[in-house]
């Protein structure tokens, strides 16, 4: 589904990503962890070219996103994204937030887009908030709407950029629950997260990025119980002693 | 003979000003309408990814903001016809001057409002597959428009008052009408007081209307 080969990204003279290779299979749930500033969000944002890669190759669902002939908007509709800060459209109702993409990108009729938006809101448990505005929702509710908005385009993969990092602790669970449900349904997911419990329970593979490189990866059992990389051991030690 | 204020003259003058008021309103509304279109366009060009387009927009804004409107009016109405041989009516000239002048200020208002929208909004729009233009149209612009209202109200008031300068190119607007009346009755104090009152009523109306729009947008969210 996603093939990243030798990805490099510089911000000015600062090299943030120093050669990352990553293949994500259809239906796979990959969690990316790592200290802040390690470049893990940047890798994610390169996948739908919200960040322009400096060099390397990224293939998403058969489309080379670095190729000028590729319509990036088509690729983006296939690779939904959920942001740390939700980024809901504040001037639209919850329903309009979800229905906008299908209407404008997939040219779906208004009525049809509303019906499908409602069924997605039902799925994330927010059908009663369809006519509310984002500012009337809690953080957890906003993030669930954002997930519904991404799902509305029926993407082949969803990219989650620290989806629970901006939430109050008591609201994290409801968002993770929706994500777990998606994983069970077979959605391909790449999740940048600090939620080790989620990674351990849901991920097929966990990846540790530090200093712009993948330092270690593997299935969660092995990854968490028997880490080999020293920096990963240190990182897990800090995260777990913190819990 | 000592000066004696005659309130009755103020009252009598107001109906006589109505012809000028009509012109003032026509020029203000026309000027602001085209000024808003022009300003919106230039404001968006000012944040274009193309360096030369940005520069071009910048030159327009700087040269208009950096010169007095009175000079611009004289230049357009008396200067330009000598150079290119086209005569335009004072009213058309007035609308053009207000539009071009307010356009420069509105461009900066538009630029500021658009840039004040969280970049996450553009990313979210692009992430669901909308094009840059679609995201601008459906996501950024409606939010920016709301933030523009207070400074736009300000600019509308300034433009309305600026129409008084158009008397120098022979537009028979409110101020000039007042001047013509004083030329007949020599009651400058009362006449200009009446003129001032009429301007005041209009500018207060504009600021009230702006507050109304802002509240309406607030209750409708967005």
């Amino acid at each position: 589904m996603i093939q990243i080969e030798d990805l490099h990204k510089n911000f000015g003279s600062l090299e943030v990503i120093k050669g990352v290779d990553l293949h994500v299979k259809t239906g796979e749930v990959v969690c990316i962890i790592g200290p802040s500033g390690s470049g893990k969000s940047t890798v994610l944002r390169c996948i739908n070219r919200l960040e322009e890669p400096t060099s390397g190759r990224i293939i998403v669902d058969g489309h080379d996103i670095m190729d000028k002939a590729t319509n990036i908007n088509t690729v983006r509709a296939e690779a939904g994204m959920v942001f740390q800060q939700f980024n809901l459209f504040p001037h639209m109702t919850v329903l309009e937030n979800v229905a906008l993409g299908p209407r404008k990108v997939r040219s779906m009729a208004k009525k049809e887009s509303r019906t499908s938006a409602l069924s997605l809101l039902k799925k994330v448990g927010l059908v009663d908030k369809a006519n509310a505005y984002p500012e009337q929702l809690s953080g957890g509710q906003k993030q669930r709407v954002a997930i519904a908005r991404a799902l509305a385009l029926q993407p082949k993969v969803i990219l989650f950029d620290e989806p629970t990092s901006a939430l109050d602790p008591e609201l994290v669970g409801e968002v993770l629950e929706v994500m777990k449900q998606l994983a069970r349904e077979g959605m391909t997911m790449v999740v940048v997260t600090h939620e080790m419990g989620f990674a351990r329970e849901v991920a097929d593979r966990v990846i540790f990025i530090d200093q712009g490189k993948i330092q270690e990866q593997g299935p969660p059992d092995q990854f968490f119980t028997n880490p080999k990389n020293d920096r990963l051991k240190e990182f897990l030690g800090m995260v777990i002693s913190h819990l | 003979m000592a000066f004696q204020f005659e309130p009755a003259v103020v009252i009598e003058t107001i109906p006589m000003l109505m012809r000028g008021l009509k012109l003032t309103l026509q020029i203000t509304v026309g000027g602001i309408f085209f000024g808003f279109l022009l300003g919106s366009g230039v404001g968006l060009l000012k944040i274009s990814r193309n360096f030369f387009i940005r520069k071009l927009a910048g030159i327009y804004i700087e040269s208009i903001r950096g010169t007095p409107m009175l000079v611009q009016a004289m230049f357009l109405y008396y200067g330009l016809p000598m150079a290119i041989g086209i005569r335009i009516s004072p009213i058309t000239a007035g609308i053009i001057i207000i539009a071009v002048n307010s356009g420069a200020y509105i461009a900066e208002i538009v630029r500021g409002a658009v840039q004040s929208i969280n970049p996450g909004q553009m990313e979210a729009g692009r992430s669901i597959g909308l094009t840059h233009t679609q995201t601008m149209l459906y996501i950024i612009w409606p939010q920016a428009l709301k933030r523009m209202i207070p400074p736009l109200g300000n600019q509308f008031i300034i433009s309305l008052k600026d129409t008084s300068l158009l008397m120098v190119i022979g537009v028979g607007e409110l101020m000039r009408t007042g001047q013509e009346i004083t030329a007949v009755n020599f009651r400058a104090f009362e006449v200009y007081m009446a003129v001032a009152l009429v301007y005041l009523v209009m500018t207060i109306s504009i600021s009230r209307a702006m507050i109304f729009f802002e509240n309406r947008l607030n209750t409708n969210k967005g």
Side-chain angles (χ1 to χ4, degrees), chain B residues 1-64:
Chain B
M1 198 171 85
F3 172 76
Q4 192 157 13
F5 176 50
E6 289 190 38
V9 178
V10 180
I11 310 292
E12 280 162 23
T13 306
I14 289 176
M16 293 156 70
L17 291 170
M18 287 306 126
R19 189 174 42 88
L21 173 66
K22 196 178 148 210
L23 254 184
T24 290
L25 284 175
Q26 279 171 349
I27 292 173
T28 305
V29 170
I32 284 172
F33 176 78
F34 291 110
F36 182 69
L37 292 186
L38 183 66
S40 300
V42 175
L44 293 176
L45 295 183
K46 189 85 197 294
I47 44 179
S48 155
R49 276 162 291 190
N50 185 312
F51 173 82
F52 289 100
I53 291 178
R54 275 204 314 273
K55 269 276 165 262
L56 218 61
I59 289 170
Y60 161 67
I61 294 170
E62 287 300 326
S63 47
I64 295 299

Side-chain angles (χ1 to χ4, degrees), chain A residues 83 86-89 149, chain B residues 119-129:
Chain A
F83 300 87
F86 329 123
N87 294 341
L88 293 181
F89 308 133
R149 179 176 70 181
Chain B
Q121 291 289 309
M122 177 55 84
E123 292 191 345
R126 300 308 303 273
S127 83
I128 58 173

